[in-house]
Amino acid sequence: MLLMDIGGWTVGLMRLDNGIPNASTCRSLGCIDEAKEQVRRETGLSVTDAQVERVLAGQSCSMDENARTIIQKQGRIYTEALLSVA
C-alpha cells in the first residue's frame, strides 16, 4: 500500500509493507520549487510561485517562452514521477 500526503504542489509518499510503515521508502516530490530552480539555472530568470501555478494550470502569464517551456517540462516530470510510484 502507498500512503500519500497531498499538499500544495507537493506530495509526501511512504510505502506500507503488510500495514507497517517503511521509513526507508519516504519521498517528497515537489513541483513548484523544482520548476523555479530549473528556470533560474537554465535562464537566469526568477519566477514566482504564482507564475509557475498559472503556467501549470494552462492560464495566460506573460513570461519568457523558454521559462514557460521549462515549467511545462517540470510539470510533466512531476506528473510522471507521481504516476510511476504506485
Side-chain angles (χ1 to χ4, degrees), residues 9-74:
W9 296 99
T10 62
V11 175
L13 306 164
M14 179 189 297
R15 197 175 72 219
L16 300 178
D17 297 327
N18 296 318
I20 300 169
N22 183 341
S24 68
T25 64
C26 287
R27 288 180 30 184
S28 179
L29 302 173
C31 184
I32 289 184
D33 288 341
E34 183 60 30
K36 287 169 52 176
E37 180 60 20
Q38 282 302 115
V39 169
R40 188 195 61 74
R41 279 188 207 139
E42 295 184 32
T43 68
L45 298 173
S46 247
V47 294
T48 66
D49 288 4
Q51 287 174 306
V52 173
E53 289 176 14
R54 290 187 65 81
V55 170
L56 292 174
Q59 298 172 342
S60 64
C61 181
S62 61
M63 73 166 46
D64 178 84
E65 191 58 37
N66 288 335
R68 181 184 308 279
T69 300
I70 293 165
I71 292 167
Q72 290 167 339
K73 177 182 174 189
Q74 288 304 126

